[in-house]
Amino acid sequence: MRLPDFIRQHVDRIVDEWEQFAKTIMPAAENMDRVALRDHAKAILLAAVRDMVTAQTRNEQLAKARGEGPEKTPSLDEAGASHGELRHTVGFDLVQMTSEFRHLRACVIRLWVDSLESPDLTYFQDMIRFNEAIDEALAESTAAYAEQVNRSRDIFLAILGHDLRAPLQAVSMSTELLLRKVTLEGDALACANNIKHGSRHMAAMVSDLLELVRSRLGKSLPIEPAPMDMADATHAAIAEACAGNPECDPTVRVVGDTRGVWDAGRLAQLLQNLIGNALQHGANKRDVTVTLSGEPDTVRLTVHNYGVPIPEEAIGTIFDPLVRSADEELGQPSTSLGLGLFIVKEVVDAHNGTIEVSSNETDGTLFTVVLPRNI
């Protein structure tokens, strides 16, 4: 009997063995009923049969082995993906879930081989096709499982970031009240200021984390455009960046009309991150130049600093989330989650603008942002 026919005829027996194996996966299977244990096993097997009886050329077979073949059996992919999602939901880990497919494969082959009396070459081809189908289902299950893991992690981070805001606000407001109501001197004043600056920095990190999670959950950066002047926003961002740093003294150049319709809060994020990045990585905190140029339909912002150039191989990933600079990787104190430039790119994209970066030892590092006046 050919393998597809064997699976059709004995599908319930095979699923029974799947169920018995799934029962042994503890502690996840401890409270699962028969329906949950059997899950999509029958659908996966019957979809595999449909794939096996579909004509396949040699080239298609080779492409499929490399994971490049076209989708021949959407029902197989759907059943595999649903299985991965549900196994994640009930508490199976990735190794336990993939072990089910290993057992399913071994069970089918064992039962089928035991039933054979005179196997020929076509039977071995059947075995290859069955393995291909199970591998496709496993790939879909694993991908769906991993997506659920990532989504669960992002939801956890969103909840964590949201819940951290309240205690941080309490620390910040208590410190402000303390500084206003009580006259502090010496070490006490220094400690209070450290708490103030530390809580403000932590609040910025939490805000960046929430923006990352928002993007990973598929939500674009929300903006509320209104008329504003980018020059005013730039001066305010520099004042904030230099508030706790007496060495900070960037040069600001403004040419032309710098007014437009943008989200002031988002542009403040963009400016603070770009200016903060230049101050952090520049060789001299006084040698940072911010230039604004009003053009007919756009406003151009450049932030320039001298210092260790960004490696050429890092330019392509510099706006990716959670990417750290070389000096932080070498053990220098961390000052962020590595989300600053990611947030900058998100703000630029939300305003339909562009951002470019160039960096070399002679000319220094230059970030160039171009935003349309009206988005």
Side-chain angles (χ1 to χ4, degrees), residues 6-77:
F6 177 85
I7 294 174
R8 282 196 195 99
Q9 185 171 326
H10 297 278
V11 65
D12 291 328
R13 179 183 175 188
I14 297 167
V15 175
D16 286 341
E17 289 214 16
W18 167 294
E19 178 188 343
Q20 292 306 313
F21 177 76
K23 277 184 182 179
T24 67
I25 300 177
M26 294 295 178
E30 188 172 4
N31 298 313
M32 294 174 64
D33 60 20
R34 188 167 184 261
V35 174
L37 288 167
R38 295 166 80 88
D39 191 28
H40 290 79
K42 188 169 184 177
I44 289 172
L45 284 167
L46 295 179
V49 168
R50 288 192 291 273
D51 178 78
M52 292 166 67
V53 298
T54 302
Q56 179 174 271
T57 67
R58 177 66 175 167
N59 288 336
E60 287 174 336
Q61 186 179 56
L62 292 174
K64 200 172 185 181
R66 295 191 295 266
E68 300 170 357
E71 289 188 6
K72 297 269 184 195
T73 48
S75 58
L76 181 63
D77 296 343

Side-chain angles (χ1 to χ4, degrees), residues 87-220:
R87 283 307 193 239
H88 173 266
T89 301
V90 299
F92 278 50
D93 64 32
L94 193 56
V95 174
Q96 290 171 334
M97 188 204 69
T98 55
S99 71
E100 290 187 290
F101 286 90
R102 183 190 67 231
H103 179 78
L104 177 64
R105 189 197 309 266
C107 170
V108 171
I109 298 299
R110 171 174 51 79
L111 293 175
W112 180 56
V113 169
D114 288 345
S115 73
L116 295 178
E117 294 181 2
S118 55
D120 60 31
L121 186 61
T122 57
Y123 290 1
F124 292 102
Q125 186 64 27
D126 286 345
M127 190 181 301
I128 292 171
R129 292 295 302 274
F130 175 69
N131 284 330
E132 289 174 350
I134 293 300
D135 287 339
E136 182 179 345
L138 174 58
E140 290 298 326
S141 280
T142 303
Y145 184 100
E147 184 177 347
Q148 290 300 309
V149 169
N150 291 337
R151 184 171 181 81
S152 297
R153 180 199 60 214
D154 289 339
I155 291 173
F156 167 77
L157 290 175
I159 294 170
L160 175 65
H162 182 271
D163 289 351
L164 278 174
R165 285 180 161 181
L168 276 174
Q169 187 176 24
V171 171
S172 179
M173 291 181 66
S174 297
T175 308
E176 291 283 356
L177 187 61
L178 185 65
L179 288 169
R180 290 178 184 177
K181 297 291 186 181
V182 180
T183 302
L184 300 177
E185 298 178 354
D187 291 343
L189 180 60
C191 287
N193 281 324
N194 286 340
I195 295 172
K196 176 182 176 181
H197 296 314
S199 60
R200 184 179 297 174
H201 181 61
M202 289 171 66
M205 293 173 71
V206 169
S207 178
D208 286 352
L209 179 62
L210 289 174
E211 298 297 359
L212 170 68
V213 172
R214 185 197 303 275
S215 71
R216 285 190 170 176
L217 291 175
K219 297 179 180 178
S220 59

Side-chain angles (χ1 to χ4, degrees), residues 249-268:
D249 187 23
T251 299
V252 181
R253 296 173 182 160
V254 179
V255 180
D257 184 4
T258 57
R259 291 171 297 176
V261 180
W262 306 296
D263 186 312
R266 295 303 183 188
L267 279 198

